[in-house]
Amino acid sequence: MESFPNRLVEEPESLSGGLGVRGNAALRELGSRGYELAVGLNEYHADAITVMARQEHIVEYCPGDATDRRFASLESTEKWLRKAGGRAVFLLLQRLSGESSPTRLAGYGWTGYEESPRFEAYPITSAYRLGDIALNQGLFKHYVQAVVSATKTLFTMEGVGLETWQSNDPAFRTYKKVGFSELEIGPDELRPTLLKDSGTVLDQRVYMGYQD
Protein backbone atom coordinates (compact mmCIF):
# COMPACT_ATOMS: atom_id res chain seq x y z
CA MET A 1 0.00 0.00 0.00
CA GLU A 2 1.24 3.47 -0.85
CA SER A 3 -1.18 5.71 1.03
CA PHE A 4 -3.36 5.64 4.09
CA PRO A 5 -7.02 4.60 3.69
CA ASN A 6 -9.54 7.43 3.61
CA ARG A 7 -12.86 5.59 3.58
CA LEU A 8 -14.72 2.71 5.16
CA VAL A 9 -14.09 -0.80 3.84
CA GLU A 10 -16.33 -3.83 3.36
CA GLU A 11 -14.34 -5.92 5.82
CA PRO A 12 -11.16 -5.26 7.85
CA GLU A 13 -8.10 -7.30 6.86
CA SER A 14 -6.78 -9.64 9.56
CA LEU A 15 -2.99 -9.46 9.87
CA SER A 16 -1.22 -12.77 10.40
CA GLY A 17 2.44 -12.01 9.64
CA GLY A 18 4.88 -10.18 7.43
CA LEU A 19 5.40 -7.38 9.96
CA GLY A 20 9.08 -7.96 10.75
CA VAL A 21 10.60 -9.60 13.80
CA ARG A 22 9.03 -7.32 16.40
CA GLY A 23 5.67 -7.08 14.71
CA ASN A 24 5.33 -10.81 14.15
CA ALA A 25 6.33 -11.51 17.75
CA ALA A 26 3.64 -9.08 18.91
CA LEU A 27 1.02 -10.76 16.70
CA ARG A 28 1.97 -14.15 18.15
CA GLU A 29 1.61 -12.83 21.70
CA LEU A 30 -1.79 -11.38 20.94
CA GLY A 31 -2.83 -14.62 19.27
CA SER A 32 -1.72 -16.73 22.24
CA ARG A 33 -4.09 -14.71 24.42
CA GLY A 34 -7.06 -15.02 22.09
CA TYR A 35 -6.75 -11.74 20.18
CA GLU A 36 -5.94 -10.67 16.63
CA LEU A 37 -5.11 -7.44 14.81
CA ALA A 38 -7.01 -6.20 11.76
CA VAL A 39 -6.56 -3.10 9.62
CA GLY A 40 -9.41 -1.18 8.03
CA LEU A 41 -12.68 0.16 9.37
CA ASN A 42 -16.13 -0.96 8.32
CA GLU A 43 -19.50 0.38 9.43
CA TYR A 44 -20.01 -2.37 12.03
CA HIS A 45 -16.74 -1.67 13.84
CA ALA A 46 -17.17 2.09 13.45
CA ASP A 47 -20.38 1.75 15.47
CA ALA A 48 -18.52 -0.36 18.05
CA ILE A 49 -15.82 2.32 18.36
CA THR A 50 -18.51 4.96 18.90
CA VAL A 51 -19.65 2.97 21.94
CA MET A 52 -16.14 2.13 23.21
CA ALA A 53 -14.97 5.75 22.93
CA ARG A 54 -17.43 6.58 25.72
CA GLN A 55 -15.89 4.18 28.22
CA GLU A 56 -14.75 6.07 31.30
CA HIS A 57 -11.01 5.35 31.12
CA ILE A 58 -10.90 6.43 27.45
CA VAL A 59 -12.88 9.61 28.07
CA GLU A 60 -10.54 10.45 30.95
CA TYR A 61 -7.48 10.84 28.71
CA CYS A 62 -8.96 11.00 25.20
CA PRO A 63 -12.23 12.96 25.45
CA GLY A 64 -12.02 13.99 21.79
CA ASP A 65 -12.74 10.43 20.65
CA ALA A 66 -16.36 10.62 21.80
CA THR A 67 -17.05 13.92 20.00
CA ASP A 68 -17.81 15.02 16.45
CA ARG A 69 -14.06 15.47 15.96
CA ARG A 70 -13.82 11.68 15.63
CA PHE A 71 -16.26 8.91 16.53
CA ALA A 72 -19.49 10.48 17.79
CA SER A 73 -21.36 9.24 14.71
CA LEU A 74 -20.77 7.38 11.48
CA GLU A 75 -20.81 10.70 9.63
CA SER A 76 -18.09 12.23 11.84
CA THR A 77 -16.03 9.02 11.60
CA GLU A 78 -16.12 9.09 7.80
CA LYS A 79 -15.12 12.76 7.81
CA TRP A 80 -12.25 12.04 10.23
CA LEU A 81 -10.98 9.19 8.01
CA ARG A 82 -10.38 11.68 5.21
CA LYS A 83 -8.33 14.01 7.41
CA ALA A 84 -4.82 14.91 6.20
CA GLY A 85 -4.62 12.18 3.59
CA GLY A 86 -6.33 9.34 5.42
CA ARG A 87 -6.03 7.17 8.50
CA ALA A 88 -5.15 3.50 8.94
CA VAL A 89 -7.45 2.18 11.66
CA PHE A 90 -6.19 -0.87 13.56
CA LEU A 91 -8.69 -3.03 15.42
CA LEU A 92 -7.82 -5.29 18.33
CA LEU A 93 -10.32 -8.14 18.10
CA GLN A 94 -11.06 -10.76 20.73
CA ARG A 95 -11.81 -14.19 19.30
CA LEU A 96 -15.05 -15.75 20.50
CA SER A 97 -16.25 -19.34 20.55
CA GLY A 98 -19.81 -20.50 20.46
CA GLU A 99 -21.04 -17.07 19.36
CA SER A 100 -22.74 -15.88 16.20
CA SER A 101 -19.96 -13.31 15.73
CA PRO A 102 -16.43 -14.79 15.62
CA THR A 103 -14.79 -11.70 17.19
CA ARG A 104 -15.64 -8.60 19.15
CA LEU A 105 -13.90 -5.24 19.38
CA ALA A 106 -11.40 -5.05 22.24
CA GLY A 107 -9.42 -1.96 21.22
CA TYR A 108 -8.84 0.53 18.43
CA GLY A 109 -6.11 2.85 17.22
CA TRP A 110 -4.84 4.61 14.14
CA THR A 111 -1.87 6.04 12.27
CA GLY A 112 -1.74 8.68 9.53
CA TYR A 113 -0.01 11.84 8.37
CA GLU A 114 -0.20 14.86 10.66
CA GLU A 115 3.03 16.75 10.20
CA SER A 116 4.28 19.17 12.85
CA PRO A 117 7.09 21.70 12.28
CA ARG A 118 8.28 20.93 15.82
CA PHE A 119 8.73 17.22 15.13
CA GLU A 120 9.63 17.00 11.46
CA ALA A 121 11.26 13.58 11.87
CA TYR A 122 7.92 12.10 13.02
CA PRO A 123 5.23 13.07 10.49
CA ILE A 124 3.00 10.08 11.29
CA THR A 125 0.58 10.51 14.17
CA SER A 126 -0.58 7.49 16.13
CA ALA A 127 -3.03 6.62 18.89
CA TYR A 128 -3.86 3.45 20.84
CA ARG A 129 -6.90 2.57 22.96
CA LEU A 130 -7.91 -0.59 24.81
CA GLY A 131 -11.51 -1.24 25.75
CA ASP A 132 -12.65 -2.44 29.16
CA ILE A 133 -12.56 -6.10 28.14
CA ALA A 134 -8.85 -5.92 27.24
CA LEU A 135 -7.51 -4.06 30.28
CA ASN A 136 -5.07 -5.58 32.78
CA GLN A 137 -4.10 -8.50 30.55
CA GLY A 138 -0.65 -7.32 29.44
CA LEU A 139 -1.91 -6.67 25.91
CA PHE A 140 -1.10 -3.00 25.43
CA LYS A 141 2.62 -3.37 24.67
CA HIS A 142 2.00 -6.02 22.03
CA TYR A 143 -0.88 -4.09 20.50
CA VAL A 144 1.17 -0.90 20.19
CA GLN A 145 4.13 -2.76 18.70
CA ALA A 146 1.94 -4.57 16.19
CA VAL A 147 0.34 -1.30 15.05
CA VAL A 148 3.69 0.47 14.64
CA SER A 149 5.19 -2.47 12.76
CA ALA A 150 2.12 -2.79 10.52
CA THR A 151 2.28 0.93 9.72
CA LYS A 152 5.94 0.64 8.76
CA THR A 153 5.26 -2.45 6.63
CA LEU A 154 2.01 -1.48 4.92
CA PHE A 155 2.14 2.28 4.59
CA THR A 156 5.36 4.20 5.28
CA MET A 157 8.82 3.97 6.84
CA GLU A 158 8.60 7.55 8.13
CA GLY A 159 8.82 8.36 11.82
CA VAL A 160 5.81 7.62 14.04
CA GLY A 161 4.92 9.96 16.88
CA LEU A 162 2.28 10.18 19.58
CA GLU A 163 0.97 12.46 22.29
CA THR A 164 0.08 11.32 25.80
CA TRP A 165 -0.37 12.84 29.25
CA GLN A 166 2.32 12.71 31.92
CA SER A 167 -0.17 11.53 34.53
CA ASN A 168 -1.00 8.49 32.37
CA ASP A 169 2.08 6.72 33.71
CA PRO A 170 1.19 3.13 32.67
CA ALA A 171 0.80 4.19 29.03
CA PHE A 172 3.94 6.34 29.14
CA ARG A 173 6.05 3.46 30.49
CA THR A 174 4.62 1.06 27.91
CA TYR A 175 5.42 3.39 25.02
CA LYS A 176 9.02 3.58 26.22
CA LYS A 177 9.24 -0.22 26.38
CA VAL A 178 8.03 -0.47 22.79
CA GLY A 179 10.67 1.99 21.59
CA PHE A 180 9.16 5.47 21.79
CA SER A 181 11.41 8.15 23.21
CA GLU A 182 10.43 11.40 24.86
CA LEU A 183 10.68 14.37 22.50
CA GLU A 184 9.19 17.19 24.56
CA ILE A 185 7.10 17.83 27.66
CA GLY A 186 4.59 20.65 27.38
CA PRO A 187 3.82 23.30 30.00
CA ASP A 188 1.34 22.79 32.82
CA GLU A 189 -2.24 22.94 31.56
CA LEU A 190 -5.69 21.84 32.59
CA ARG A 191 -6.32 18.40 31.11
CA PRO A 192 -9.67 18.51 29.28
CA THR A 193 -11.16 15.43 30.92
CA LEU A 194 -14.93 15.08 30.69
CA LEU A 195 -15.30 13.27 34.02
CA LYS A 196 -16.02 14.54 37.54
CA ASP A 197 -12.82 16.62 37.64
CA SER A 198 -13.57 18.29 34.32
CA GLY A 199 -11.29 21.21 33.66
CA THR A 200 -9.54 21.06 37.03
CA VAL A 201 -6.76 18.49 36.50
CA LEU A 202 -3.33 20.07 36.05
CA ASP A 203 -1.23 17.93 33.72
CA GLN A 204 1.43 18.05 30.99
CA ARG A 205 1.37 16.73 27.44
CA VAL A 206 4.22 14.41 26.51
CA TYR A 207 5.28 14.11 22.86
CA MET A 208 7.09 10.91 21.89
CA GLY A 209 8.67 9.45 18.75
CA TYR A 210 9.31 5.83 17.77
CA GLN A 211 12.89 4.67 17.40
CA ASP A 212 13.46 1.69 15.08
Side-chain angles (χ1 to χ4, degrees), residues 124-176:
I124 307 302
T125 187
S126 67
Y128 315 87
R129 322 283 194 237
L130 292 186
D132 286 336
I133 64 172
L135 295 176
N136 304 314
Q137 298 182 46
L139 296 171
F140 194 54
K141 174 184 175 182
H142 307 297
Y143 174 58
V144 173
Q145 181 64 69
V147 170
V148 171
S149 295
T151 297
K152 296 281 189 177
T153 301
L154 299 176
F155 301 107
T156 179
M157 290 299 294
E158 294 182 88
V160 177
L162 63 81
E163 175 186 319
T164 188
W165 290 97
Q166 192 171 55
S167 64
N168 193 3
D169 188 59
F172 178 71
R173 286 188 282 110
T174 298
Y175 293 140
K176 294 194 75 171

Short mmCIF file of all heavy atoms in Angstrom, two decimals, residues 124-176:
data_model
loop_
_atom_site.label_atom_id
_atom_site.label_comp_id
_atom_site.label_asym_id
_atom_site.label_seq_id
_atom_site.Cartn_x
_atom_site.Cartn_y
_atom_site.Cartn_z
N ILE A 124 4.14 10.98 11.16
CA ILE A 124 3.00 10.08 11.29
C ILE A 124 2.47 10.14 12.71
O ILE A 124 3.19 9.86 13.67
CB ILE A 124 3.40 8.63 10.95
CG1 ILE A 124 4.08 8.57 9.58
CG2 ILE A 124 2.17 7.72 11.00
CD1 ILE A 124 3.24 9.09 8.44
N THR A 125 1.21 10.52 12.86
CA THR A 125 0.58 10.51 14.17
C THR A 125 0.07 9.11 14.49
O THR A 125 -0.20 8.32 13.58
CB THR A 125 -0.59 11.51 14.22
OG1 THR A 125 -1.08 11.61 15.56
CG2 THR A 125 -1.72 11.10 13.31
N SER A 126 -0.05 8.80 15.75
CA SER A 126 -0.58 7.49 16.13
C SER A 126 -1.33 7.59 17.45
O SER A 126 -1.07 8.49 18.26
CB SER A 126 0.55 6.45 16.24
OG SER A 126 1.42 6.74 17.33
N ALA A 127 -2.26 6.65 17.66
CA ALA A 127 -3.03 6.62 18.89
C ALA A 127 -3.46 5.18 19.15
O ALA A 127 -3.66 4.40 18.22
CB ALA A 127 -4.26 7.52 18.78
N TYR A 128 -3.61 4.84 20.44
CA TYR A 128 -3.86 3.45 20.84
C TYR A 128 -4.83 3.44 22.02
O TYR A 128 -4.60 4.11 23.02
CB TYR A 128 -2.55 2.77 21.25
CG TYR A 128 -1.40 3.05 20.29
CD1 TYR A 128 -0.60 4.19 20.47
CD2 TYR A 128 -1.15 2.22 19.22
CE1 TYR A 128 0.43 4.47 19.58
CE2 TYR A 128 -0.12 2.48 18.33
CZ TYR A 128 0.67 3.62 18.51
OH TYR A 128 1.68 3.89 17.64
N ARG A 129 -5.91 2.68 21.90
CA ARG A 129 -6.90 2.57 22.96
C ARG A 129 -7.25 1.09 23.19
O ARG A 129 -7.45 0.34 22.24
CB ARG A 129 -8.20 3.28 22.60
CG ARG A 129 -8.05 4.58 21.83
CD ARG A 129 -7.63 5.73 22.69
NE ARG A 129 -7.81 6.99 22.01
CZ ARG A 129 -6.84 7.89 21.79
NH1 ARG A 129 -5.60 7.64 22.21
NH2 ARG A 129 -7.09 9.03 21.18
N LEU A 130 -7.37 0.71 24.45
CA LEU A 130 -7.91 -0.59 24.81
C LEU A 130 -9.27 -0.41 25.47
O LEU A 130 -9.44 0.49 26.28
CB LEU A 130 -6.99 -1.34 25.79
CG LEU A 130 -5.64 -1.82 25.28
CD1 LEU A 130 -4.94 -2.65 26.36
CD2 LEU A 130 -5.76 -2.62 23.99
N GLY A 131 -10.21 -1.26 25.11
CA GLY A 131 -11.51 -1.24 25.75
C GLY A 131 -11.48 -1.95 27.09
O GLY A 131 -10.49 -2.60 27.45
N ASP A 132 -12.57 -1.84 27.83
CA ASP A 132 -12.65 -2.44 29.16
C ASP A 132 -12.30 -3.92 29.16
O ASP A 132 -11.63 -4.41 30.07
CB ASP A 132 -14.07 -2.28 29.72
CG ASP A 132 -14.38 -0.86 30.17
OD1 ASP A 132 -13.42 -0.12 30.47
OD2 ASP A 132 -15.56 -0.50 30.22
N ILE A 133 -12.75 -4.65 28.15
CA ILE A 133 -12.56 -6.10 28.14
C ILE A 133 -11.10 -6.51 27.96
O ILE A 133 -10.75 -7.67 28.21
CB ILE A 133 -13.42 -6.78 27.06
CG1 ILE A 133 -13.00 -6.33 25.65
CG2 ILE A 133 -14.89 -6.54 27.31
CD1 ILE A 133 -13.68 -7.10 24.55
N ALA A 134 -10.25 -5.58 27.51
CA ALA A 134 -8.85 -5.92 27.24
C ALA A 134 -7.88 -5.35 28.27
O ALA A 134 -6.67 -5.55 28.15
CB ALA A 134 -8.45 -5.42 25.84
N LEU A 135 -8.39 -4.67 29.28
CA LEU A 135 -7.51 -4.06 30.28
C LEU A 135 -6.91 -5.11 31.21
O LEU A 135 -7.48 -6.17 31.43
CB LEU A 135 -8.29 -3.03 31.10
CG LEU A 135 -8.81 -1.79 30.36
CD1 LEU A 135 -9.64 -0.93 31.30
CD2 LEU A 135 -7.66 -1.00 29.75
N ASN A 136 -5.73 -4.78 31.74
CA ASN A 136 -5.07 -5.58 32.78
C ASN A 136 -4.78 -7.02 32.34
O ASN A 136 -4.81 -7.94 33.14
CB ASN A 136 -5.93 -5.59 34.05
CG ASN A 136 -6.23 -4.20 34.57
OD1 ASN A 136 -5.33 -3.36 34.65
ND2 ASN A 136 -7.48 -3.95 34.91
N GLN A 137 -4.47 -7.18 31.07
CA GLN A 137 -4.10 -8.50 30.55
C GLN A 137 -2.70 -8.51 29.93
O GLN A 137 -2.30 -9.50 29.34
CB GLN A 137 -5.11 -8.96 29.50
CG GLN A 137 -6.52 -9.13 30.02
CD GLN A 137 -7.46 -9.64 28.95
OE1 GLN A 137 -7.15 -10.57 28.21
NE2 GLN A 137 -8.63 -9.02 28.84
N GLY A 138 -1.98 -7.39 30.03
CA GLY A 138 -0.65 -7.32 29.44
C GLY A 138 -0.67 -7.25 27.93
O GLY A 138 0.30 -7.63 27.27
N LEU A 139 -1.76 -6.71 27.36
CA LEU A 139 -1.91 -6.67 25.91
C LEU A 139 -1.36 -5.39 25.27
O LEU A 139 -1.00 -5.40 24.09
CB LEU A 139 -3.39 -6.78 25.54
CG LEU A 139 -4.11 -8.08 25.91
CD1 LEU A 139 -5.60 -7.91 25.67
CD2 LEU A 139 -3.56 -9.24 25.10
N PHE A 140 -1.33 -4.32 26.03
CA PHE A 140 -1.10 -3.00 25.43
C PHE A 140 0.24 -2.93 24.70
O PHE A 140 0.30 -2.44 23.57
CB PHE A 140 -1.19 -1.92 26.50
CG PHE A 140 -1.30 -0.52 25.96
CD1 PHE A 140 -2.28 -0.21 25.04
CD2 PHE A 140 -0.42 0.47 26.34
CE1 PHE A 140 -2.40 1.08 24.52
CE2 PHE A 140 -0.51 1.75 25.85
CZ PHE A 140 -1.51 2.07 24.93
N LYS A 141 1.30 -3.42 25.30
CA LYS A 141 2.62 -3.37 24.67
C LYS A 141 2.60 -4.07 23.32
O LYS A 141 3.13 -3.56 22.33
CB LYS A 141 3.66 -4.01 25.59
CG LYS A 141 5.04 -4.14 24.96
CD LYS A 141 5.98 -4.87 25.90
CE LYS A 141 7.33 -5.11 25.22
NZ LYS A 141 8.26 -5.87 26.11
N HIS A 142 2.01 -5.24 23.27
CA HIS A 142 2.00 -6.02 22.03
C HIS A 142 1.10 -5.37 20.98
O HIS A 142 1.42 -5.38 19.78
CB HIS A 142 1.54 -7.45 22.33
CG HIS A 142 2.33 -8.10 23.43
ND1 HIS A 142 3.69 -8.34 23.31
CD2 HIS A 142 1.96 -8.52 24.66
CE1 HIS A 142 4.12 -8.90 24.44
NE2 HIS A 142 3.10 -9.01 25.26
N TYR A 143 0.00 -4.79 21.43
CA TYR A 143 -0.88 -4.09 20.50
C TYR A 143 -0.18 -2.89 19.87
O TYR A 143 -0.19 -2.71 18.65
CB TYR A 143 -2.15 -3.66 21.23
CG TYR A 143 -3.07 -2.79 20.40
CD1 TYR A 143 -3.57 -3.25 19.19
CD2 TYR A 143 -3.43 -1.52 20.83
CE1 TYR A 143 -4.41 -2.45 18.42
CE2 TYR A 143 -4.27 -0.73 20.08
CZ TYR A 143 -4.77 -1.20 18.88
OH TYR A 143 -5.59 -0.41 18.12
N VAL A 144 0.46 -2.07 20.70
CA VAL A 144 1.17 -0.90 20.19
C VAL A 144 2.27 -1.32 19.21
O VAL A 144 2.41 -0.75 18.12
CB VAL A 144 1.76 -0.06 21.34
CG1 VAL A 144 2.64 1.07 20.81
CG2 VAL A 144 0.65 0.51 22.22
N GLN A 145 3.06 -2.31 19.59
CA GLN A 145 4.13 -2.76 18.70
C GLN A 145 3.59 -3.28 17.38
O GLN A 145 4.13 -2.98 16.31
CB GLN A 145 4.94 -3.87 19.38
CG GLN A 145 6.11 -4.38 18.54
CD GLN A 145 7.16 -3.33 18.29
OE1 GLN A 145 7.86 -2.94 19.21
NE2 GLN A 145 7.27 -2.86 17.04
N ALA A 146 2.52 -4.04 17.42
CA ALA A 146 1.94 -4.57 16.19
C ALA A 146 1.45 -3.45 15.28
O ALA A 146 1.65 -3.50 14.06
CB ALA A 146 0.80 -5.54 16.52
N VAL A 147 0.83 -2.42 15.85
CA VAL A 147 0.34 -1.30 15.05
C VAL A 147 1.50 -0.54 14.41
O VAL A 147 1.46 -0.21 13.22
CB VAL A 147 -0.53 -0.36 15.91
CG1 VAL A 147 -0.83 0.94 15.16
CG2 VAL A 147 -1.82 -1.04 16.31
N VAL A 148 2.54 -0.25 15.19
CA VAL A 148 3.69 0.47 14.64
C VAL A 148 4.34 -0.35 13.53
O VAL A 148 4.65 0.18 12.45
CB VAL A 148 4.71 0.79 15.75
CG1 VAL A 148 5.99 1.34 15.15
CG2 VAL A 148 4.13 1.78 16.75
N SER A 149 4.55 -1.62 13.77
CA SER A 149 5.19 -2.47 12.76
C SER A 149 4.33 -2.59 11.51
O SER A 149 4.85 -2.58 10.38
CB SER A 149 5.46 -3.86 13.35
OG SER A 149 6.40 -3.80 14.39
N ALA A 150 3.02 -2.71 11.67
CA ALA A 150 2.12 -2.79 10.52
C ALA A 150 2.14 -1.49 9.72
O ALA A 150 2.10 -1.51 8.48
CB ALA A 150 0.70 -3.11 10.99
N THR A 151 2.20 -0.36 10.41
CA THR A 151 2.28 0.93 9.72
C THR A 151 3.54 1.02 8.89
O THR A 151 3.52 1.45 7.72
CB THR A 151 2.24 2.08 10.75
OG1 THR A 151 0.97 2.04 11.43
CG2 THR A 151 2.40 3.44 10.06
N LYS A 152 4.66 0.61 9.48
CA LYS A 152 5.94 0.64 8.76
C LYS A 152 5.92 -0.30 7.56
O LYS A 152 6.50 0.00 6.50
CB LYS A 152 7.07 0.24 9.71
CG LYS A 152 7.29 1.17 10.88
CD LYS A 152 8.07 2.39 10.47
CE LYS A 152 8.49 3.21 11.68
NZ LYS A 152 9.33 4.37 11.29
N THR A 153 5.27 -1.45 7.70
CA THR A 153 5.26 -2.45 6.63
C THR A 153 4.27 -2.11 5.52
O THR A 153 4.58 -2.23 4.33
CB THR A 153 4.91 -3.83 7.21
OG1 THR A 153 5.86 -4.18 8.20
CG2 THR A 153 4.92 -4.89 6.11
N LEU A 154 3.09 -1.66 5.89
CA LEU A 154 2.01 -1.48 4.92
C LEU A 154 1.95 -0.09 4.30
O LEU A 154 1.48 0.05 3.17
CB LEU A 154 0.67 -1.78 5.59
CG LEU A 154 0.46 -3.19 6.14
CD1 LEU A 154 -0.88 -3.27 6.86
CD2 LEU A 154 0.52 -4.22 5.03
N PHE A 155 2.42 0.93 5.04
CA PHE A 155 2.14 2.28 4.59
C PHE A 155 3.37 3.16 4.41
O PHE A 155 3.52 3.81 3.38
CB PHE A 155 1.16 2.95 5.56
CG PHE A 155 -0.14 2.22 5.68
CD1 PHE A 155 -0.44 1.50 6.82
CD2 PHE A 155 -1.06 2.23 4.64
CE1 PHE A 155 -1.64 0.80 6.93
CE2 PHE A 155 -2.26 1.53 4.74
CZ PHE A 155 -2.55 0.81 5.88
N THR A 156 4.25 3.26 5.39
CA THR A 156 5.36 4.20 5.28
C THR A 156 6.46 3.83 6.27
O THR A 156 6.17 3.29 7.35
CB THR A 156 4.91 5.64 5.56
OG1 THR A 156 6.02 6.53 5.46
CG2 THR A 156 4.29 5.78 6.94
N MET A 157 7.69 4.17 5.93
CA MET A 157 8.82 3.97 6.84
C MET A 157 9.14 5.24 7.62
O MET A 157 10.10 5.29 8.36
CB MET A 157 10.05 3.52 6.06
CG MET A 157 9.95 2.12 5.49
SD MET A 157 9.74 0.86 6.78
CE MET A 157 11.33 0.98 7.61
N GLU A 158 8.33 6.28 7.45
CA GLU A 158 8.60 7.55 8.13
C GLU A 158 8.37 7.42 9.63
O GLU A 158 7.73 6.48 10.12
CB GLU A 158 7.74 8.65 7.53
CG GLU A 158 8.09 8.94 6.07
CD GLU A 158 7.26 10.06 5.50
OE1 GLU A 158 7.66 11.23 5.65
OE2 GLU A 158 6.22 9.77 4.91
N GLY A 159 8.88 8.40 10.37
CA GLY A 159 8.82 8.36 11.82
C GLY A 159 7.40 8.45 12.37
O GLY A 159 6.58 9.23 11.88
N VAL A 160 7.13 7.67 13.41
CA VAL A 160 5.81 7.62 14.04
C VAL A 160 5.88 8.33 15.39
O VAL A 160 6.76 8.05 16.20
CB VAL A 160 5.35 6.17 14.24
CG1 VAL A 160 4.00 6.13 14.97
CG2 VAL A 160 5.26 5.45 12.91
N GLY A 161 4.97 9.24 15.62
CA GLY A 161 4.92 9.96 16.88
C GLY A 161 3.60 9.75 17.59
O GLY A 161 2.66 9.15 17.05
N LEU A 162 3.53 10.22 18.83
CA LEU A 162 2.28 10.18 19.58
C LEU A 162 2.29 11.26 20.64
O LEU A 162 3.33 11.86 20.94
CB LEU A 162 2.06 8.80 20.22
CG LEU A 162 3.06 8.30 21.28
CD1 LEU A 162 2.79 8.88 22.68
CD2 LEU A 162 3.03 6.79 21.36
N GLU A 163 1.12 11.50 21.20
CA GLU A 163 0.97 12.46 22.29
C GLU A 163 0.23 11.78 23.43
O GLU A 163 -0.78 11.11 23.20
CB GLU A 163 0.17 13.67 21.80
CG GLU A 163 -0.16 14.70 22.85
CD GLU A 163 -1.09 15.78 22.30
OE1 GLU A 163 -0.88 16.21 21.14
OE2 GLU A 163 -2.01 16.17 23.04
N THR A 164 0.75 11.90 24.64
CA THR A 164 0.08 11.32 25.80
C THR A 164 0.13 12.35 26.94
O THR A 164 0.59 13.47 26.75
CB THR A 164 0.75 9.98 26.21
OG1 THR A 164 -0.05 9.37 27.24
CG2 THR A 164 2.17 10.18 26.70
N TRP A 165 -0.38 11.96 28.09
CA TRP A 165 -0.37 12.84 29.25
C TRP A 165 0.59 12.28 30.29
O TRP A 165 0.66 11.07 30.50
CB TRP A 165 -1.76 12.97 29.86
CG TRP A 165 -2.71 13.75 29.00
CD1 TRP A 165 -3.63 13.25 28.12
CD2 TRP A 165 -2.83 15.17 28.93
NE1 TRP A 165 -4.31 14.26 27.51
CE2 TRP A 165 -3.84 15.46 27.99
CE3 TRP A 165 -2.18 16.22 29.57
CZ2 TRP A 165 -4.23 16.76 27.68
CZ3 TRP A 165 -2.56 17.52 29.27
CH2 TRP A 165 -3.58 17.77 28.33
N GLN A 166 1.32 13.16 30.95
CA GLN A 166 2.32 12.71 31.92
C GLN A 166 1.69 11.91 33.06
O GLN A 166 2.30 10.97 33.58
CB GLN A 166 3.10 13.90 32.47
CG GLN A 166 4.34 13.50 33.25
CD GLN A 166 5.19 14.70 33.61
OE1 GLN A 166 4.72 15.65 34.21
NE2 GLN A 166 6.46 14.66 33.23
N SER A 167 0.46 12.25 33.43
CA SER A 167 -0.17 11.53 34.53
C SER A 167 -0.59 10.11 34.14
O SER A 167 -0.86 9.28 35.00
CB SER A 167 -1.41 12.30 35.02
OG SER A 167 -2.38 12.36 34.00
N ASN A 168 -0.63 9.83 32.84
CA ASN A 168 -1.00 8.49 32.37
C ASN A 168 0.26 7.62 32.37
O ASN A 168 0.74 7.16 31.33
CB ASN A 168 -1.62 8.56 30.99
CG ASN A 168 -2.30 7.27 30.58
OD1 ASN A 168 -2.36 6.31 31.36
ND2 ASN A 168 -2.80 7.24 29.37
N ASP A 169 0.78 7.38 33.56
CA ASP A 169 2.08 6.72 33.71
C ASP A 169 2.13 5.31 33.11
O ASP A 169 3.12 4.97 32.47
CB ASP A 169 2.49 6.69 35.18
CG ASP A 169 3.91 6.19 35.36
OD1 ASP A 169 4.83 6.82 34.81
OD2 ASP A 169 4.10 5.17 36.04
N PRO A 170 1.11 4.47 33.28
CA PRO A 170 1.19 3.13 32.67
C PRO A 170 1.38 3.18 31.15
O PRO A 170 2.19 2.42 30.60
CB PRO A 170 -0.15 2.50 33.05
CG PRO A 170 -0.55 3.19 34.30
CD PRO A 170 -0.09 4.61 34.12
N ALA A 171 0.64 4.07 30.48
CA ALA A 171 0.80 4.19 29.03
C ALA A 171 2.18 4.72 28.68
O ALA A 171 2.84 4.22 27.76
CB ALA A 171 -0.29 5.09 28.46
N PHE A 172 2.63 5.74 29.40
CA PHE A 172 3.94 6.34 29.14
C PHE A 172 5.05 5.29 29.25
O PHE A 172 5.93 5.19 28.38
CB PHE A 172 4.18 7.48 30.12
CG PHE A 172 5.52 8.14 29.99
CD1 PHE A 172 5.83 8.93 28.90
CD2 PHE A 172 6.51 7.95 30.96
CE1 PHE A 172 7.08 9.54 28.77
CE2 PHE A 172 7.75 8.54 30.84
CZ PHE A 172 8.03 9.34 29.74
N ARG A 173 5.02 4.48 30.30
CA ARG A 173 6.05 3.46 30.49
C ARG A 173 5.98 2.38 29.40
O ARG A 173 7.00 1.89 28.93
CB ARG A 173 5.91 2.83 31.87
CG ARG A 173 6.37 3.75 32.99
CD ARG A 173 6.40 3.05 34.34
NE ARG A 173 5.08 2.93 34.91
CZ ARG A 173 4.41 1.81 35.05
NH1 ARG A 173 4.93 0.67 34.61
NH2 ARG A 173 3.22 1.79 35.60
N THR A 174 4.77 2.05 28.97
CA THR A 174 4.62 1.06 27.91
C THR A 174 5.17 1.58 26.59
O THR A 174 5.87 0.85 25.87
CB THR A 174 3.14 0.67 27.74
OG1 THR A 174 2.68 0.09 28.96
CG2 THR A 174 2.97 -0.31 26.60
N TYR A 175 4.89 2.82 26.27
CA TYR A 175 5.42 3.39 25.02
C TYR A 175 6.95 3.34 25.01
O TYR A 175 7.57 3.04 23.99
CB TYR A 175 4.94 4.83 24.85
CG TYR A 175 3.45 4.98 24.63
CD1 TYR A 175 2.74 6.01 25.25
CD2 TYR A 175 2.76 4.10 23.82
CE1 TYR A 175 1.38 6.16 25.05
CE2 TYR A 175 1.39 4.23 23.62
CZ TYR A 175 0.71 5.26 24.23
OH TYR A 175 -0.64 5.41 24.04
N LYS A 176 7.56 3.62 26.14
CA LYS A 176 9.02 3.58 26.22
C LYS A 176 9.53 2.16 26.02
O LYS A 176 10.56 1.94 25.37
CB LYS A 176 9.50 4.15 27.55
CG LYS A 176 9.22 5.64 27.72
CD LYS A 176 10.00 6.25 28.86
CE LYS A 176 11.45 6.45 28.50
NZ LYS A 176 12.19 7.24 29.53
#
